[in-house]
Amino acid sequence: MSKVTGSRDGADKKNEVNNGSGQKIEIEVIDAQDASDPGEALEVDEQERIEFLSEDVELMAAQNAELLDSLRRLKADFDNYRKRMIREQTRILETAEAELVKKLLPVIDNLERALGSAGESGPKGLAEGVAKVLELMLDTLARDGLEVIDPQGEPFDPEQHEAMMVVETDECPEDTVTDVVQKGYRFAGTLLRPAMVRVSCPIK
């Protein structure tokens, strides 16, 4: 029959086992206090997991901020592009309209001449008809942006007027438009044709 006896060497615990044949076998016994605590291991694993997840959250937050910034820049670029396209389309339309109105200016000139001729020697009904057609055309074009430049008695403006002749006179200040040979026109702020005028100068 085996016999077990205990002994201690420092902090280690050993048991001697008699196997019945007179030989003693030492068996090392591990104290339960020396073993690692399972609860402590779980706590360490949980802390590591939290730290790992925190790093993931920070990384995702940084990526989201970068994507949001890219989206904002893309939206701003698109808004600028849309505004440029609207301005360009508006400019093209205004240019096309201005060219169309410019082609109608000779028609207006001829109607004005016809009105002058009819008023002098033509039938009264003809003059009234021409006047109504001219008035209707000018009113229609004015609603779309046509402006008449008729600078009679105004100071000469080289940006809006073209001097056809200089007239010596003391009846008005120098550089005053004394007569309008041909009216000028603006459309939507763009000069289509300067007014052809005679300009005063002092008598020498």
Side-chain angles (χ1 to χ4, degrees):
M1 182 175 180
S2 299
K3 183 177 180 182
V4 179
T5 59
S7 64
R8 176 179 296 272
D9 184 7
D12 296 333
K13 296 179 180 179
K14 296 181 180 179
N15 286 341
E16 292 182 355
V17 178
N18 191 336
N19 62 1
S21 60
Q23 296 179 350
K24 293 183 179 180
I25 301 174
E26 291 184 352
I27 300 176
E28 184 176 357
V29 179
I30 299 175
D31 194 342
Q33 295 179 351
D34 296 337
S36 60
D37 188 356
E40 182 180 353
L42 290 175
E43 184 178 351
V44 172
D45 291 343
E46 187 69 21
Q47 185 176 359
E48 291 179 352
R49 188 180 301 110
I50 292 173
E51 292 177 356
F52 179 76
L53 291 175
S54 298
E55 293 176 358
D56 280 352
V57 169
E58 292 177 359
L59 178 61
M60 292 177 65
Q63 292 175 345
N64 288 339
E66 184 177 353
L67 287 174
L68 183 60
D69 185 60
S70 298
L71 287 175
R72 287 173 177 168
R73 288 198 301 268
L74 183 61
K75 181 179 181 298
D77 291 341
F78 179 76
D79 288 341
N80 292 332
Y81 169 77
R82 180 175 57 84
K83 292 176 182 178
R84 286 196 303 270
M85 291 301 298
I86 291 174
R87 287 195 299 267
E88 182 65 16
Q89 291 174 359
T90 302
R91 185 191 65 80
I92 292 174
L93 289 175
E94 289 178 349
T95 301
E97 291 176 350
E99 288 298 322
L100 176 60
V101 173
K102 190 174 182 178
K103 292 177 181 179
L104 292 175
L105 297 184
V107 178
I108 296 175
D109 294 337
N110 289 332
L111 287 173
E112 289 179 339
R113 294 189 188 100
L115 180 60
S117 299
E120 294 175 358
S121 59
K124 183 178 180 180
L126 177 60
E128 291 178 353
V130 174
K132 288 181 180 179
V133 172
L134 178 60
E135 181 182 0
L136 178 61
M137 177 176 286
L138 290 175
D139 287 345
T140 302
L141 294 176
R143 285 195 294 270
D144 289 332
L146 181 66
E147 302 175 58
V148 180
I149 303 176
D150 188 6
Q152 181 75 34
E154 297 178 2
F156 177 75
D157 181 1
E159 298 292 331
Q160 306 290 330
H161 312 148
E162 184 174 340
M164 305 297 295
M165 185 182 298
V166 176
V167 180
E168 292 184 355
T169 180
D170 56 1
E171 296 180 357
C172 58
E174 185 179 2
D175 291 335
T176 299
V177 175
T178 60
D179 187 28
V180 178
V181 179
Q182 188 180 58
K183 296 176 182 178
Y185 292 93
R186 283 189 299 267
F187 183 78
T190 300
L191 182 66
L192 297 181
R193 187 179 74 187
M196 308 296 183
V197 299
R198 295 187 179 96
V199 185
S200 66
C201 70
I203 298 176
K204 296 180 182 179

